[in-house]
Amino acid sequence: MPKYLIAFNDEWVPAHTPDQLRSKSEASSALLEEMKESGVFLYADGGIDASTAVFSVVSKDGKAVFTDGPFVESKEHLGGFTVVEVADDEAARYWAGRLAVSLDWPQEVHRFPSDIAEIVERHASES
């Protein structure tokens, strides 16, 4: 069964009061419990923004080179995500829609490739 990443960009979320954030957390937690009961939930986490970037790493001359903080200055930062394993795109749409309504902010859905052959094929068709 395919796996899907349902995520939101921190930039898409307006400022919230602590009480609003607690309310959103309760609503999304209830939905995540429903996902678990349905057997589609794999993993979720949130509260990620530019301030949570611990370090970046690049390869230079075959060695890992670490830099404190984010790799590049950007307004766009992953805010949070949920990974589900569902039968198809339609099922992923259903759960992403439920998250968007529960949190009241946009979500973006990505299907993980099934294997390396799919990745190679996609890159070959882009070339």
Side-chain angles (χ1 to χ4, degrees):
M1 230 185 313
K3 294 177 181 80
Y4 293 82
L5 173 70
I6 304 169
F8 66 90
N9 184 311
D10 189 55
E11 185 179 70
W12 304 340
V13 180
H16 284 69
T17 66
D19 286 340
Q20 289 172 315
L21 288 172
R22 280 190 277 281
S23 176
K24 300 283 181 165
S25 177
E26 289 171 14
S28 64
S29 292
L31 181 55
L32 294 179
E33 278 305 312
E34 188 178 336
M35 288 177 170
K36 289 174 186 176
E37 290 168 10
S38 296
V40 302
F41 177 85
L42 293 179
Y43 186 80
D45 215 331
I48 305 168
D49 61 25
S51 71
T52 65
V54 178
F55 56 82
S56 301
V57 61
V58 297
S59 173
K60 184 168 183 167
D61 300 324
K63 294 183 181 176
V65 177
F66 295 87
T67 305
D68 291 340
F71 182 69
V72 294
E73 290 297 320
S74 172
K75 292 182 179 183
E76 295 188 16
H77 299 280
L78 179 65
F81 63 93
T82 301
V83 180
V84 296
E85 187 171 32
V86 295
D88 53 30
D89 290 359
E90 192 59 35
R93 284 176 176 271
Y94 171 78
W95 290 110
R98 297 280 310 276
L99 278 168
V101 170
S102 171
L103 293 166
D104 194 28
W105 56 63
Q107 302 291 312
E108 185 172 271
V109 180
H110 298 263
R111 181 176 29 84
F112 288 102
S114 58
D115 58 27
I116 189 65
E118 185 177 341
I119 296 169
V120 170
E121 181 180 316
R122 183 176 63 228
H123 283 275
S125 66
E126 292 173 0
S127 299

